Amino acid sequence: MEKYQMNRPGCRPYNNTCGMTRPQTPVHTGMANRGCGMADLNCNMPDRGCNMPDRGCNMPDRNCNMPDRGCSMPDRECNMPDRGCNMPDRGCNMPDRGCNMPDRGCNCGAQPKTYCSCHMPGAASPNAEMFSHLKHLPLAMAYVPCQEFKTTFDLCYALNVGTIFPELCKPFCGKRGGCR
Amino acid sequence: MTNCNMNAKRQLLQKINEVSFAVDDILLFLDTHPCDQKALAFYEETAAKRKELMTEYARSYGPLTIDDALESCGDTWKWMEQPFPWEKEGACR
């Protein structure tokens, strides 16, 4: 690892093939987007029976990814607007509800985490726009973006870098287990 | 085997390694995208190229896999005569 250096004789031939230069591909979750930004899992939402209105079938099934709030949830009319289909993302943009609901503890106001701080020559710097689509995805789920077949490397180059697909060419820029 | 022959053999083997790697990578893609026409076309092209290179190697230097066992000579069993990789005449040297 000591001798691992980029673009020097004898090392792997990376120049601008680092994955950091590529625009992020859109995420295809395979779940039908109902248009309000929330993925539909099931339409069979039961009435809670504790003053919460049925929101219709555009909300994810609460049984699988939303905590049961129980009947101790304060009445909506205490200044929380009915969200309907336009329920905002629960991430960092969630306003304080002001009606006894606890803060979700999501570091509101914090900047989105930057991912790799390695700087390849000619690479684009990470910025908030790169991951803006993440705001529209339901929480607590893992997503795997779907690869599309585009171009392939020359066979000789492909064997040297370990993949035939330019978008999968993601050299490790760190050293001794951390980014330096 | 002369140096020139060894170089030609090594180069052909290198090409076989490159094309075999491409076949392995595209098959992984096809495992998750079984209906992708472009990927299927790429596989077909790469696999054909690989087969051609393997046949050429078998004809010149002896079979690398059992599929080409009779390629260089149909009436003797050349397969057993091939050097093992660690031997002097083996491809790895």
Side-chain angles (χ1 to χ4, degrees):
Chain A
M1 277 308 260
E2 284 291 337
K3 296 211 167 101
Y4 185 87
Q5 288 172 342
M6 314 294 291
N7 298 324
R8 298 277 186 98
C11 75
R12 299 177 85 183
Y14 294 115
N15 34 46
N16 54 352
T17 59
C18 177
M20 289 293 290
T21 64
R22 307 287 165 187
Q24 296 297 313
T25 52
V27 171
H28 300 291
T29 62
M31 298 199 310
N33 185 349
R34 289 299 178 97
C36 67
M38 295 191 69
D40 176 58
L41 293 176
N42 284 311
C43 274
N44 53 347
M45 237 184 55
D47 183 11
R48 288 287 185 89
C50 63
N51 301 334
M52 279 188 61
D54 184 1
R55 288 184 187 182
C57 69
N58 289 337
M59 274 200 55
D61 184 358
R62 286 181 187 178
N63 289 332
C64 68
N65 68 345
M66 280 180 56
D68 184 4
R69 291 177 186 173
C71 285
S72 56
M73 187 168 161
D75 184 33
R76 285 290 184 84
E77 275 132 34
C78 74
N79 74 7
M80 208 168 83
D82 179 25
R83 288 184 177 175
C85 268
N86 297 324
M87 194 163 157
D89 176 52
R90 283 163 186 208
C92 286
N93 301 328
M94 211 174 75
D96 179 27
R97 296 203 187 154
C99 62
N100 303 333
M101 284 195 68
D103 182 19
R104 297 238 176 151
C106 62
N107 300 330
C108 292
Q111 286 301 311
K113 182 181 168 188
T114 55
Y115 287 84
C116 177
S117 58
C118 78
H119 293 291
M120 288 292 292
S125 320
N127 54 52
E129 279 79 47
M130 280 172 95
F131 306 108
S132 58
H133 58 277
L134 294 177
K135 288 183 192 165
H136 305 295
L137 298 174
L139 292 181
M141 293 188 191
Y143 298 93
V144 178
C146 198
Q147 185 187 354
E148 289 174 40
F149 187 92
K150 292 175 184 163
T151 57
T152 54
F153 284 137
D154 290 338
L155 297 191
C156 171
Y157 190 80
L159 181 60
N160 281 335
V161 301
T163 177
I164 59 173
F165 299 110
E167 58 268 34
L168 295 185
C169 186
K170 295 180 182 292
F172 177 63
C173 303
K175 198 173 171 184
R176 290 190 193 133
C179 270
R180 304 257 171 132
Chain B
M1 198 178 267
T2 65
N3 249 1
C4 184
N5 279 349
M6 277 306 286
N7 280 341
K9 184 179 177 183
R10 264 198 214 107
Q11 276 174 18
L12 184 52
L13 199 57
Q14 174 65 15
K15 278 192 205 159
I16 288 174
N17 283 338
E18 287 164 11
V19 78
S20 300
F21 173 75
V23 167
D24 282 341
D25 220 13
I26 195 65
L27 83 84
L28 288 174
F29 182 90
L30 283 165
D31 284 348
T32 48
H33 304 70
C35 302
D36 189 311
Q37 297 305 311
K38 287 188 196 167
L40 285 166
F42 182 84
Y43 166 78
E44 203 175 335
E45 179 196 331
T46 313
K49 194 168 168 189
R50 178 180 176 272
K51 193 156 176 55
E52 187 191 315
L53 288 170
M54 295 286 279
T55 309
E56 187 190 330
Y57 187 96
R59 281 199 193 123
S60 309
Y61 310 109
L64 279 171
T65 64
I66 199 66
D67 301 297
D68 299 313
L70 294 178
E71 199 60 53
S72 55
C73 181
D75 50 6
T76 50
W77 188 237
K78 289 279 182 192
W79 178 248
M80 198 52 221
E81 293 177 14
Q82 302 311 303
F84 287 104
W86 55 84
E87 290 179 320
K88 192 176 170 190
E89 300 80 17
C92 285
R93 296 247 175 152

